[in-house]
Amino acid sequence: MKISIIAPCRNERAYIDGFIAGVLAQQGVPGTVELLIADGCSDDGTRELIAAWSSRDPRVILIDNPERTTPFGLNHAIR
């Protein structure tokens, strides 16, 4: 069974590294957690940090959320 954690965000540069590290540090069966981050067109470097994590760890998945709001971000990630 795979567990998907969905996190819509926008301009969270100060917090995104700690959030991702915390999620990935959770104990469980390896390979069962994926972190879907729906970025709402961040312009503070958040998107680049998520992309860097994604390139190093396949559990981190960057999803575009051009509408920028939480409901749209959740829907993009669920799809």
Side-chain angles (χ1 to χ4, degrees):
M1 177 170 71
K2 183 174 272 193
I3 298 169
S4 299
I5 298 169
I6 299 172
C9 75
R10 184 166 192 279
N11 291 338
E12 296 292 341
R13 186 177 197 284
Y15 308 103
I16 199 69
D17 278 326
F19 170 72
I20 294 172
V23 169
L24 297 181
Q26 297 297 312
Q27 298 296 313
V29 179
T32 61
V33 174
E34 66 179 354
L35 177 56
L36 308 168
I37 303 176
D39 179 66
C41 302
S42 293
D43 57 11
D44 69 343
T46 299
R47 184 176 189 81
E48 292 77 12
L49 291 174
I50 299 167
W53 276 96
S54 182
S55 70
R56 293 188 309 264
D57 193 319
R59 297 175 294 171
V60 180
I61 301 164
L62 174 60
I63 297 172
D64 291 324
N65 177 17
E67 294 85 7
R68 298 183 179 186
T69 64
T70 298
F72 280 103
L74 292 171
N75 287 332
H76 288 301
I78 289 168
R79 271 189 230 113

